Structure formats: structure tokens, C-alpha cells
């Protein structure tokens, strides 16, 4: 653990020597970009998205047999899927993403998921976030382990950032990582000298925390981040290139991630949650509950890519969800917990197209006769992205108990 | 630079000797940290006077503790006396009004939203009242351990107040399913939650019917709209057409056996079939009703047990009783109680103590809690101040330490929302997390700093804080921080308040103390 250097050399010692670290650090942060400039944006569709109604296998007749009330019609019909390759289609509410498919920068891995057999949201989310499916004792998250083990980087509290007020498990661990809500409201809410005095007071109380545990660490990283945000004036950058983000929590998250990336604060990993996918009841087909969520999801992604424009060459967006949903609709025009789902990769270096093996929807091909089977272990997908996009050199550390094998990579990058 | 850093951290670990040396006192502080919503000035002395065991036993018999001040205070909240029928009516009215607005192309002006925020009416007012009354109770009640247990079970049997009818049903859920059984028998508590409309709606059991079951008649509700939908889609039957596993799964995974409790997917389906027909009275939508037509009459097998064909409503009750007293349930639920009272990773000895009491008393919750609080693991010094307060605990303990009474606004409800713990608004059935690391983050800390300063300067809506000119550094350190103040916190309090006007110094002392690392722990 070679971390925390920046805090030791930063606030604490200087405070005790009577210098004002706020003043000093502001000057220090006026220097240019940090890191290698690559960013991975991970988006967690919490609640298990129905991959089969997001990326629709309209060429598989079993899809229509099993979903008489909630299937999205074939391409060309009213409310029909947007055809991708003659067999799969995009949900019509995700039209904003179609241009990226056509431009070859949107890759889709269908039938991806976890090798661990569980249909519990909470276990499955834990497995996907810790990166150790089937093992519950893992405390830290795989994104954090990547940060902890990757060499050659500059320490900045923005290296790993999660949108929201809590750090998700996927980013918890020994490497610095930050949870941020509204960038402008981050920090002590008082201006000028009073604000500086209050910040210094809280910072010194927490710097003296015995043991330097998670509380002291969160405080130190927080104050460090406030200074950087202030120096870079991040919260004030407005969307560029005509991008319009949805006014939803997820839209706001994507806009903030774009602001951080554009401010060159050294953000290597950004994470955001997007919820509302647990569609047990009345999920709808072309329109309805799921369509509303997908519309928001796709619109925010498209706005993000528009906003970043050519900077997208250095950014990869990776979507994930803890599992998929039953092939057949349930008794209440919804779907229950399933197994495999679809994940998407967008941006720099992505090889557009459908990736991974399609297991088919016939009962004999399903997991337990009911779910879309998993043909791509999520670690194979996440590992490929870490290596090819962020230059990770030690996947064994990121995914303990897993033997990396490039032969299993789907080639999405 | 390194030696300097080391000196500072070594100093930080020495605890103020004035109060810290008395082990009895430290134990009492620990008990109050875990078994109440925060210590008021004088509480430690009171427990010292009557003795720890006596205090626990009194708290475990809340009906014998007078609580008239709290009752008087709560009388202002209409939601606590409104029937679920009445609340469902308010909810339906609000929905109808929203539909009318939408149909008229009115998406709501800034002004109207502002008005709704300032002077909420109808169901919106009722939900805010419920959140505010709950926080008020935690702060004011003399039945502290009981109110802690109400929160434990509310969270264990979580419902999400934003899920359609639950906006109206949650108040009755707390009042009639959780509160009467919070220190009673687990079995009764489990059955009460299982049958409550709020749970039936939240985890979709109202949608779960036997395969092929058909209602005797279409219920006339929302009249024209339903008829119109049927015309548009003549071949598609309306209403549920099979089982929904959602409640069955969470019942086993979260409420009873635990995820490793030894059940399979087939068992989940079996449980879901047993509970088909557990639904709502379609007229009021506020009361439980068993629908024979929807119940799966077939034989079921659950974890090796055969439930013969033809069982009706009682089949479900018997199943819940069996689950409530299953060894996996005892361990799982005792473990959760130990995580709340003792340590985020519950020690085995504590769980064993809970399970043992459970077996001995057939799941008498008061006995299980007593066993946990009197277990050696509870008192192990290593667990003292090892837990990070949840936002709810942060707010209640601040109010109690300062002797601040809740005011009549909805300020507490909104404060908790801002801190990330809006009451009854956690969407996933796990309920709010108990583990400290789920609540610690830079943003969470900044929120607490800002709210601590707001409370101290009497700018926090929701709390009426008396100006107390006698408050000095010693009083702040002893009452707010129980005399357990690190060197760096003490030094900061002194340094930052020196030279200020007395009134400003008091504000800053209180604000910094509430925002200090010591005050975040319990």
C-alpha cells in the first residue's frame, strides 16, 4: 500500500507549522493534467435490468413465444425494435444510442453475467462489485483493487470517483476514492475567510484521528478534493457541442462525470448507479415502465458522448447489472430474477458490434430451463477493458481466484 | 516531518483522563450509545444510580414507563390517528389530481412545487408527518430501547413508502404490524408483517396468483379506464396470471432463514405458491383479505416438508410459524441484532447468546435482546465507539445531547433526507445498511459538518435549540462528547474559539463538537 502520500505531504504537517495549506495547495493545483488521460466510466444498472428487452433478440422466435404481453415487436412494426444486425435490436426508447452503433463505437456483450448461482440482488451485486463471485468475505471492490495495484500514476483524490453521497462497494478499499454529489455544493458551505477557518478546523480534528481509518481517510480526501475543485472551478463548466442531459439523477451524474473529465483532475475511474430496473410488475413493452428507464439511460449516455466529443477517444463507458431476468414473462406482466443479461461498451477504441456467444432461448439452452444462460463471465469482460483501456498489468490481483485468459476475451476493445 | 506526524497521532490516542479512567462509566456510555438514540446530559448518572441490569430490564418493559410528554407532542400529528382507509382515500385523490393536471398539459409550475413544499397537504403532508413523528419519538421518548427496536424491525421488514399504495399504508404498517410486536414474539411480528397490506404491495404478493386462477368478477375500479383498456386489447386478460416470487424470496433471504439458510429456488416457488391469495380487500385497498380463488390448492414441498393439497389461508400462517422458529432464522436474526448492538461483524458468542435465549423462550424478542445486551461480547472494550452513527443516529443523538426539542416543522424529516437516510424511503428490501463503511464518505462527512454548524447556529429547521450562555468548553466536552475527547479535537476547539465573542465561540464549539470524529462514533 503505497498510498496516502499526498495527504502526508499535504495538509497535516503544514498546518502544524502554521502555514495555510489552502493557500499553498491552490497554487499547486494550477498545474496541468494528471495521469495518462484515460478514463473508464462504469455504470451499474442496479436492480437487474431485463437484458432481453434492452437488447432484443427479435430473430429468436422463443422470445415472442415467452413474452406475449411484454415483447418489443420486430423491427419495422409499430413500436418495433431498432434493428442492429438482423437478429438483435435496440429497444426503441434507446434510439439516441443508434448513431454510436452505426459509427461502430458501441459494443454489446449479450448473455454476460456471473458464474455464481444466485438470484439474490444483494449477493449478486456484492459479487459483481467485489469481483469475487461466490465469495462473500471480500471486503474491497475490484475497481479499487485496480487503483491500488496499478503503478505509474499521480495521486489525486479524483482518481476514483463515485457519483452520489456514498462510496459503493466496487470502489471501496485501500486506494483513495471519493463519493461526490453536486460538485458545487461539495465542502463546507461558508464563503471566504469563515469557510477557510471552518475547513481548517474540521480538517485538523480529523487529521488527528487515531489509526487513520476510513473516517480520517474520507475527511482528508474530501478536503483535498475541495481544494482541487475550487482551483479548477469545475462545477461551472456547462455541456458542450449541444449536449442536453436529462434532468434525472442519472443525467446529472453523467453531466458531473463529464465535468470532472474535462477538468483534467486525473480521473481514471468514474462510477455511477442508475436504478429502477427491478421490473416484477407491468414492465411494459415498447412503452411503459422499463421504456421510461431505458429512455433516460440512453439519453444521458448520448448526451455524455456528445458533450465529450473527441475526448471520448480516451473514455470507455462500461455498463453492468447484477443479473438478467426470466426469459418468460411472469403472472404480473413483469419478469422475475434471472441470470444472463446484456452489457454495453461505448467510446474510445471500442470495436462496435455484438460480442460474445449467444446461447439461445430454447428451454434446453437456458440456465435452469428458465433464464438466459451466461456465456461471458463478467470478469472476462471487465478484465479485457482494464487491460486494454487502462493498461492494467495484473488482473490476478484485481480478480483473486480467477485465472485471466485472453482466449476468453470477447474482443470488444 | 515524520516524527512530528507520529507525535500528533500518539497524542490523539490519549483520552482525556478526567472521565476516561472509570470503567463503569465507560460501560454505561457504551450501553447508552447502543441501546438508546443518544445520551442526554445526566443519563449516565441516572443509569449509574439504578444499575445497568435494572435499567435494561425497565427499558424492556416499555408499557411500564410513562411517556406523557412524548404523547402530548405527538398528538399534533394527524397521521398517527388516521385510518388506513382514510389515507388510501387521500392517496387516490392525489393521484387523480395529478392525472387531471397531466391531462390538461400542466406539468407543474415552480410556484406550485414551492407551495407544495412549504404547505404540503393531503397524502404528502401525511407522509412527512410520519417521518417527522418517527424522528420526534426517537428523540423524546422515555422508552428508548423500545424505539430502537421499532427502528430495527422497521428496517428488517423494510417497505418503501414511495411505492404506490405504500404511501398511504406505511403509517398503519408501523403502528399495527411493527410497534405492537417490537419486543414481543418474533413469530407474531413476522406474521403481522406478512399479512400487512404495505408488505403485500411492496413485495408484490398482491400480484401473485395460482397459475390459471381467475377472479370471480372484474372489480369495478377506475371504471371507464379499465373497460377501455379491455376493448383495445381484447385478447389480453387483465390482472395477474401466475405467481410472483418477489415476497417469497425476500421472506426467506432477508426476513427469516438468511441467504445461506438452506433453501433452493424450488423452495422459493413453493413458498410463493403457499402465499398465493394473500392480498388486499379490493374495495378499501387498506386491509388484508385472503382470496380463495387466487390460492394454489395443490400440494407443495418446501425444504423437505410436504404440505398436502387443499390447504388454504392457514397453510401460510403455519409456514410462517415454522420459518419463524427455524434454526437458520434464529441465527440470521440474532446476527442482525448483534450487528446493530455490538459490532458490524457480529461476534459468534453474541449470536450464540441470542440463539440460546430464542430457543429457551420460543422467540421472545425482549429475552433475545436482553441476552445480547448482557453477553460478554457486548461489553468487550474493543467494540466501544467502534460503530459510525447512521444519519438518523447522528441527528437524534445531537438533539438529545443538546436538549433540543423537535419543533413543529418538517425539518427533521428533511434533515434526514439531506443526510441520505429519508425514513421509510429505502427502495431495496434489505433496509438501510448497518455497516459503518456504508455511511462514511467525504460527501457524508461534509453533510454532517454543515448540518452540525447549522444546528449550532440554530439555523437547522426541525430543532428548537435554547441559547445557553453557561455553555463552556468543559460542558461541551462533557455533555456532547462524554468527556472522551482526543487531543487534536481538544486543541482544535481551543484554538478556533480563542478570541471570538462568547456567543460566536459557543456556536463554533458546539458545531465543531457535533462535527468531530468523536461525535460520529458510538
Amino acid at each position: 500500500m503505497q498510498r496516502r502520500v499526498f495527504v502526508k505531504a499535504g495538509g497535516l504537517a503544514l498546518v502544524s507549522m502554521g502555514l495555510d495549506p489552502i493557500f499553498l495547495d491552490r497554487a499547486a493545483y494550477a498545474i496541468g493534467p494528471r495521469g495518462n488521460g484515460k478514463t473508464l466510466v462504469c455504470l451499474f444498472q442496479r436492480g437487474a435490468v431485463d437484458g432481453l428487452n434492452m437488447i432484443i433478440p427479435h430473430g429468436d422466435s422463443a422470445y415472442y413465444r415467452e413474452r406475449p404481453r411484454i415483447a418489443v415487436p420486430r423491427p419495422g412494426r409499430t413500436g418495433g425494435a431498432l434493428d442492429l444486425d438482423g437478429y438483435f435490436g435496440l429497444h426503441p426508447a434507446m434510439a439516441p444510442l443508434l448513431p454510436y452503433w452505426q459509427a461502430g463505437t458501441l459494443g454489446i456483450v449479450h448473455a454476460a453475467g456471473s458464474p455464481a448461482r444466485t438470484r439474490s440482488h444483494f449477493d449478486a451485486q456484492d459479487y459483481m462489485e467485489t469481483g469475487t463471485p461466490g465469495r462473500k468475505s471480500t471486503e474491497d471492490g475490484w475497481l479499487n483493487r485496480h487503483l491500488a495495484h496499478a503503478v505509474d500514476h499521480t495521486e489525486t483524490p479524483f482518481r476514483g470517483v463515485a457519483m452520489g453521497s456514498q462510496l459503493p462497494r466496487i470502489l471501496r478499499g485501500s486506494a483513495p476514492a471519493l463519493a461526490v454529489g453536486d460538485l458545487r455544493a461539495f465542502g463546507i458551505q461558508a464563503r471566504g475567510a469563515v469557510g477557510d477557518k471552518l475547513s481548517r478546523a474540521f480538517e485538523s480534528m480529523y487529521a488527528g484521528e487515531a489509526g487513520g481509518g476510513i473516517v480520517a481517510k474520507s475527511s482528508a480526501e474530501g478536503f483535498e478534493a475541495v481544494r482541487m475543485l475550487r482551483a479548477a472551478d469545475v462545477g461551472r463548466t456547462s455541456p458542450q457541442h449541444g449536449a442536453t442531459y436529462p434532468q434525472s439523477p442519472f443525467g446529472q451524474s453523467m453531466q458531473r462525470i463529464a465535468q470532472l473529465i474535462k477538468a483534467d483532475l486525473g480521473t481514471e475511474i468514474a462510477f455511477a448507479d442508475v436504478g429502477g430496473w427491478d421490473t416484477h410488475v407491468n414492465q411494459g413493452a415498447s412503452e411503459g415502465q422499463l421504456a421510461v428507464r431505458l429512455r433516460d439511460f440512453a439519453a444521458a449516455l448520448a448526451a455524455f458522448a456528445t458533450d465529450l466529443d473527441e475526448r471520448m477517444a480516451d473514455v470507455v463507458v462500461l455498463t453492468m447489472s447484477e443479473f438478467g431476468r426470466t426469459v418468460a414473462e411472469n403472472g404480473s406482466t413483469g419478469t422475475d430474477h434471472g441470470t444472463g443479461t446484456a452489457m454495453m461498451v461505448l467510446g474510445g477504441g471500442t470495436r462496435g458490434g455484438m460480442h460474445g456467444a449467444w446461447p439461445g432461448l430454447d428451454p434446453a439452452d437456458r440456465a435452469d430451463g428458465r433464464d438466459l444462460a451466461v456465456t461471458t463471465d463478467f470478469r472476462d469482460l471487465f478484465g479485457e477493458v482494464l487491460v486494454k483501456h487502462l493498461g492494467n498489468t495484473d488482473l490476478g490481483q484485481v480478480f483473486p481466484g480467477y485465472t485471466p485468459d485472453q482466449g476468453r476475451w470477447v474482443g470488444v476493445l | 516531518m515524520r516524527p512530528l506526524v507520529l507525535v500528533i497521532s500518539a497524542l490523539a490516542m490519549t483520552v482525556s483522563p478526567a472521565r476516561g479512567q472509570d470503567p463503569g462509566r465507560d460501560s454505561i456510555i457504551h450501553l447508552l450509545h447502543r441501546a438508546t438514540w443518544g445520551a442526554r446530559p445526566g443519563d449516565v448518572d441516572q443509569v449509574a444510580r439504578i444499575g445497568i441490569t435494572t435499567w435494561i430490564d425497565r427499558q424492556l418493559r416499555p408499557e411500564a414507563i410513562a411517556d406523557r410528554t412524548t404523547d402530548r407532542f405527538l398528538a399534533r400529528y394527524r397521521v398517527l390517528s388516521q385510518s388506513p382507509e382514510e389515507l388510501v382515500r387521500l392517496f387516490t385523490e392525489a393521484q387523480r389530481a395529478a392525472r387531471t393536471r397531466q391531462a390538461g398539459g400542466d406539468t407543474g409550475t415552480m410556484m406550485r412545487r414551492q407551495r407544495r413544499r412549504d404547505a404540503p397537504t393531503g397524502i404528502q403532508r401525511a407522509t412527512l408527518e410520519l417521518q417527522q413523528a418517527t424522528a420526534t419519538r426517537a428523540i423524546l421518548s422515555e422508552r428508548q430501547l423500545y424505539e430502537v427496536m421499532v427502528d430495527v424491525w422497521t428496517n428488517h421488514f423494510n417497505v418503501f413508502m414511495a411505492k404506490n399504495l405504500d404511501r398511504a399504508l406505511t403509517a398503519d404498517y408501523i403502528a399495527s404490524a411493527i410497534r405492537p410486536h417490537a419486543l414481543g414474539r418474533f413469530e407474531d411480528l413476522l406474521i403481522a408483517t406478512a399479512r400487512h397490506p404495505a408488505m403485500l404491495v411492496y413485495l408484490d404478493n398482491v400480484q401473485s396468483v395460482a397459475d390459471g386462477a381467475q377472479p370471480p368478477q372484474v372489480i369495478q375500479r377506475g371504471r371507464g379506464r379499465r373497460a377501455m383498456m379491455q376493448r383495445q386489447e381484447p385478447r389480453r386478460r387483465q390482472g395477474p396470471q401466475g405467481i410472483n416470487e418477489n415476497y417469497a424470496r425476500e421472506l426467506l433471504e432477508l426476513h427469516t432463514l438468511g441467504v445461506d439458510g438452506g433453501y433452493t429456488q424450488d423452495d422459493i416457488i413453493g413458498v410463493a405458491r403457499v402465499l398465493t391469495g394473500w392480498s388486499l380487500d379490493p374495495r378499501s385497498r387498506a386491509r388484508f383479505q385472503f382470496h380463495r380463488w387466487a390460492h394454489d390448492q395443490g400440494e407443495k414441498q418446501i425444504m423437505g416438508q410436504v404440505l398436502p393439497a387443499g390447504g388454504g389461508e392457514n397453510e401460510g400462517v403455519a409456514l410462517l410459524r415454522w420459518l419463524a422458529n427455524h434454526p437458520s432464522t434464529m441465527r440470521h436474526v440474532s446476527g442482525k441484532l448483534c450487528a446493530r448492538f455490538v459490532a458490524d461483524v457480529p461476534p459468534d458468542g453474541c449470536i450464540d447468546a441470542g440463539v440460546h435465549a430464542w430457543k429457551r423462550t420460543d422467540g421472545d424478542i425482549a429475552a433475545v435482546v436482553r441476552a445480547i445486551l448482557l453477553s460478554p461480547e457486548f461489553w468487550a472494550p474493543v467494540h466501544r465507539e467502534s460503530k459510525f452513527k447512521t444519519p438518523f443516529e447522528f441527528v437524534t443523538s445531537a438533539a438529545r445531547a443538546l436538549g433540543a426539542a423537535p419543533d413543529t416543522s418538517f425539518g427533521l424529516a428533511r434533515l434526514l433526507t439531506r443526510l441520505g437516510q429519508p425514513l421509510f424511503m429505502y427502495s431495496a428490501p434489505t433496509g438501510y445498511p448497518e455497516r459503518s463503511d456504508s455511511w462514511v464518505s467525504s460527501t457524508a462527512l461534509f453533510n454532517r459538518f454543515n448540518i452540525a454548524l447549522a444546528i449550532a447556529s440554530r439555523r437547522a429547521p426541525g430543532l428548537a435549540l435554547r441559547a445557553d450562555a453557561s455553555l463552556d468548553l468543559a460542558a461541551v466536552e462533557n455533555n456532547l462528547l462524554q468527556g472522551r475527547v482526543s487531543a487534536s479535537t481538544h486543541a482544535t476547539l481551543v484554538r478556533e474559539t480563542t478570541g471570538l465573542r462568547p456567543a460566536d465561540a459557543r456556536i463554533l464549539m458546539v458545531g465543531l463538537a457535533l462535527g468531530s470524529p468523536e461525535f460520529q462514533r458510538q
Side-chain angles (χ1 to χ4, degrees):
Chain A
M1 266 184 277
Q2 80 287 39
R3 47 175 315 269
R4 310 253 11 94
V5 188
F6 71 97
V7 173
K8 277 188 201 133
L12 179 59
L14 292 174
V15 166
S16 57
M17 284 155 64
L19 296 173
D20 182 350
I22 292 169
F23 172 74
L24 285 183
D25 289 351
R26 198 176 296 149
Y29 290 130
I31 309 163
R34 276 154 275 262
N36 69 353
K38 299 276 186 199
T39 307
L40 170 62
V41 180
C42 290
L43 306 176
F44 205 115
Q45 295 178 290
R46 235 174 256 280
V49 67
D50 182 12
L52 294 173
N53 265 20
M54 180 168 72
I55 307 299
I56 297 139
H58 62 77
D60 198 321
S61 59
Y63 171 77
Y64 291 98
R65 254 195 332 272
E66 297 285 22
R67 297 187 162 206
R69 296 179 297 176
I70 63 163
V72 175
R74 291 186 174 83
R77 310 206 176 176
T78 313
L82 308 172
D83 188 41
L84 295 175
D85 64 351
Y87 191 89
F88 292 100
L90 209 54
H91 190 286
M94 298 174 77
L97 290 180
L98 201 56
Y100 299 95
W101 173 270
Q102 285 154 354
T105 56
L106 173 63
I108 296 168
V109 185
H110 221 317
S114 171
R117 315 284 306 155
T118 178
R119 291 189 184 91
S120 152
H121 286 298
F122 322 108
D123 278 358
Q125 288 176 16
D126 273 357
Y127 292 157
M128 196 160 279
E129 292 186 74
T130 59
T132 57
R135 200 173 96 189
K136 290 189 190 172
S137 54
T138 313
E139 289 284 328
D140 50 5
W142 63 270
L143 285 177
N144 193 287
R145 286 196 300 274
H146 162 77
L147 294 176
H149 291 286
V151 286
D152 253 11
H153 59 75
T154 320
E155 289 275 18
T156 140
F158 289 99
R159 223 181 130 216
V161 189
M163 296 299 114
S165 61
Q166 306 300 337
L167 204 57
R169 169 154 293 182
I170 198 167
L171 262 172
R172 284 189 216 151
S174 62
L178 196 68
V180 202
D182 183 349
L183 297 176
R184 269 172 303 182
F186 192 65
I188 301 287
Q189 296 301 294
R191 282 159 204 268
V194 177
D196 288 352
K197 177 183 172 69
L198 294 170
S199 296
R200 188 175 53 220
F202 282 113
E203 191 169 12
S204 68
M205 284 195 290
Y206 279 79
E209 259 285 84
I214 177 175
V215 176
K217 185 179 129 185
S218 303
S219 163
E221 284 159 12
F223 282 108
E224 187 87 348
V226 166
R227 286 187 281 273
M228 290 177 70
L229 282 177
R230 233 202 270 182
D233 207 6
V234 171
R236 240 154 283 196
T237 15
S238 37
Q240 291 168 291
H241 313 290
T244 316
Y245 289 91
Q247 287 299 310
S248 60
F250 180 62
Q252 298 309 298
S253 292
M254 292 310 289
Q255 180 169 354
R256 285 166 191 160
I257 293 175
Q259 286 174 332
L260 287 174
I261 292 172
K262 288 190 282 186
D264 287 317
L265 296 168
T267 300
E268 185 174 343
I269 290 187
F271 176 89
D273 269 321
V274 49
W277 309 103
D278 197 14
T279 49
H280 284 281
V281 176
N282 289 334
Q283 73 173 54
S286 307
E287 290 298 332
Q289 233 186 102
L290 181 63
V292 169
R293 305 300 306 126
L294 290 173
R295 187 167 291 122
D296 176 58
F297 187 65
L301 274 181
F304 177 80
T306 306
D307 188 4
L308 287 183
D309 196 47
E310 57 197 22
R311 289 197 72 135
M312 276 302 281
D314 291 324
V315 176
V316 163
V317 178
L318 168 66
T319 77
M320 61 194 73
S321 190
E322 67 264 35
F323 43 68
R325 311 191 67 86
T326 45
V327 172
E329 64 186 37
N330 67 14
S332 16
T333 50
T335 44
D336 289 318
H337 301 182
T339 306
T341 191
M343 301 185 182
M344 292 182 274
V345 180
L346 173 72
T350 303
R351 287 181 48 222
M354 296 298 303
H355 299 274
W358 177 245
L361 294 180
D362 282 333
D365 299 324
R366 297 181 203 165
D368 296 338
R370 70 174 233 162
D371 302 337
L372 177 64
V374 168
T375 57
T376 300
D377 184 323
F378 70 77
R379 294 170 296 183
D380 289 326
L381 173 61
F382 300 171
E384 181 182 350
V385 172
L386 284 183
V387 170
K388 290 186 178 165
H389 184 60
L390 296 181
N392 184 290
T393 52
D394 196 356
L395 279 187
Q397 296 274 12
V398 178
F399 299 113
Y402 154 86
T403 316
D405 176 1
Q406 299 199 12
R408 289 195 308 267
W409 289 357
V410 295
V412 70
L413 283 178
Chain B
M1 235 171 285
R2 162 164 288 204
L4 184 55
V5 173
L6 286 179
V7 167
I8 290 175
S9 18
L11 279 175
M13 277 184 278
T14 32
V15 170
S16 160
R19 300 290 184 122
Q21 297 301 314
D22 174 3
R25 197 174 176 82
D26 285 351
S27 294
I28 294 171
I29 292 168
H30 178 61
L31 177 67
L32 291 170
H33 270 156
R34 303 300 174 87
T36 75
W37 288 103
R40 292 170 303 191
D43 278 358
V44 176
D45 296 327
Q46 198 219 338
V47 179
R49 225 167 20 245
I50 66 173
I52 281 173
T53 317
T54 310
W55 184 86
I56 292 174
D57 285 336
R58 277 190 198 169
Q59 285 288 319
L60 287 172
R61 291 183 51 238
E63 63 286 355
I65 302 173
D67 208 9
R68 275 184 289 275
T69 312
T70 314
D71 293 341
R72 247 199 325 275
F73 212 93
L74 292 177
R76 79 186 72 215
Y77 297 115
R78 230 179 326 155
V79 68
L80 300 180
S81 54
Q82 277 170 311
S83 69
E85 284 84 355
E86 192 181 345
L87 290 166
V88 167
R89 213 181 53 241
L90 290 177
F91 171 74
T92 317
E93 276 167 19
Q95 273 191 318
R96 198 173 303 136
R99 267 203 303 276
T100 312
R101 276 201 305 276
Q102 258 171 14
D106 178 2
T107 52
T109 61
M110 201 72 134
M111 251 168 67
R112 178 159 340 94
R113 277 202 296 270
Q114 185 66 36
R115 202 160 57 233
R116 277 205 293 266
R117 196 189 138 83
D118 294 344
T121 55
I123 194 67
Q124 200 199 356
R125 181 183 176 85
T127 55
L128 277 166
E129 278 192 359
L130 181 63
Q131 293 177 316
Q132 181 75 15
T134 304
T136 299
R137 250 181 184 140
I139 292 169
L140 291 183
S141 179
E142 298 296 327
R143 302 162 181 168
Q144 281 287 299
L145 180 51
Y146 172 65
E147 293 301 336
V148 167
M149 287 309 296
V150 167
D151 181 64
V152 165
W153 298 127
T154 300
N155 217 37
H156 182 80
F157 296 104
N158 186 49
V159 298
F160 179 40
M161 189 159 57
K163 180 158 174 175
N164 48 57
L165 271 177
D166 275 13
R167 207 167 269 287
L169 297 171
T170 302
D172 185 65
Y173 178 70
I174 304 301
S176 69
I178 302 288
R179 293 186 69 84
H181 306 291
L183 284 170
R185 284 168 50 109
F186 182 77
E187 176 180 302
D188 298 334
L189 175 64
L190 178 67
I191 292 169
T193 59
R195 294 173 71 92
H196 198 280
M199 183 62 81
L200 294 168
V201 167
Y202 172 51
L203 289 177
D204 303 323
N205 208 69
V206 290
Q207 304 281 346
S208 189
V209 305
D211 280 329
Q214 292 246 31
Q217 64 198 53
V218 174
I219 306 305
Q220 288 298 313
R221 176 162 61 74
R223 276 165 294 186
R225 198 165 137 265
R226 175 163 293 234
M228 202 169 69
M229 277 163 64
Q230 275 171 336
R231 265 204 305 282
Q232 279 173 347
E233 301 168 280
R235 278 168 306 157
R236 293 181 186 180
R237 275 190 294 140
Q238 297 300 309
Q241 289 184 23
I243 62 162
N244 187 304
E245 301 171 3
N246 205 8
Y247 176 66
R249 177 186 309 280
E250 309 309 0
L251 170 67
L252 300 185
E253 175 179 334
L254 299 173
H255 299 171
T256 61
L257 304 173
V259 71
D260 300 317
Y263 60 90
T264 64
Q265 174 67 31
D266 288 342
D267 295 323
I268 291 171
I269 292 171
V271 171
R273 289 174 58 215
V274 168
L275 295 173
T276 45
W278 286 45
S279 189
L280 303 188
D281 159 26
R283 241 166 293 277
S284 71
R285 298 194 293 158
R287 304 281 170 185
F288 175 84
Q289 197 177 80
F290 180 70
H291 296 161
R292 194 161 301 283
W293 64 264
H295 185 66
D296 186 329
Q297 299 285 347
E299 180 191 285
K300 296 113 188 165
Q301 288 198 27
I302 295 164
M303 298 176 78
Q305 296 202 112
V306 179
L307 287 74
E313 180 182 352
N314 286 337
E315 181 180 67
V317 176
L319 172 73
L320 289 166
R321 281 192 207 291
W322 181 78
L323 284 171
N325 295 295
H326 193 283
S328 295
T329 301
M330 296 182 195
R331 272 211 93 66
H332 174 229
V333 177
S334 293
K336 279 195 75 175
L337 293 174
C338 292
R340 171 82 176 217
F341 285 112
V342 182
D344 286 356
V345 180
D348 283 339
C350 174
I351 301 176
D352 291 342
V355 169
H356 183 73
W358 192 310
K359 281 185 183 150
R360 192 166 45 77
T361 62
D362 292 328
D364 174 17
I365 295 164
V368 174
V369 171
R370 187 176 195 275
I372 288 170
L373 294 181
L374 294 178
S375 70
E377 287 75 15
F378 178 82
W379 299 103
V382 63
H383 299 313
R384 286 181 197 154
E385 278 131 31
S386 65
K387 286 177 74 80
F388 189 81
K389 289 175 185 172
T390 63
F392 193 10
E393 289 161 346
F394 169 72
V395 169
T396 57
S397 61
R400 285 173 65 78
L402 290 166
D407 66 19
T408 56
S409 72
F410 296 122
L412 288 173
R414 287 179 173 139
L415 217 52
L416 288 171
T417 300
R418 185 164 158 208
L419 283 165
Q421 197 175 15
L423 298 180
F424 317 115
M425 293 293 275
Y426 195 78
S427 64
T430 46
Y432 282 109
E434 183 56 35
R435 291 176 61 99
S436 303
D437 57 7
S438 306
W439 293 109
V440 183
S441 72
S442 312
T443 295
L445 286 176
F446 283 140
N447 271 333
R448 290 190 189 196
F449 300 161
N450 288 318
I451 283 170
L453 292 166
I455 291 175
S457 49
R458 295 194 278 164
R459 283 184 295 111
L463 288 175
L465 182 63
R466 285 171 289 115
D468 182 356
S470 70
L471 209 60
D472 58 6
L473 183 60
V476 165
E477 292 190 343
N478 285 327
N479 293 342
L480 265 60
L481 304 176
Q482 310 300 338
R484 299 163 68 81
V485 186
S486 76
S488 77
T489 294
H490 178 75
T492 304
L493 289 174
V494 171
R495 187 180 64 235
E496 298 296 336
T497 56
T498 305
L500 296 181
R501 291 187 309 143
D504 289 341
R506 277 196 298 276
I507 288 175
L508 196 50
M509 260 188 299
V510 171
L512 291 178
L514 293 181
S516 71
E518 288 87 340
F519 195 78
Q520 312 315 311
R521 290 191 301 249
Q522 62 176 30

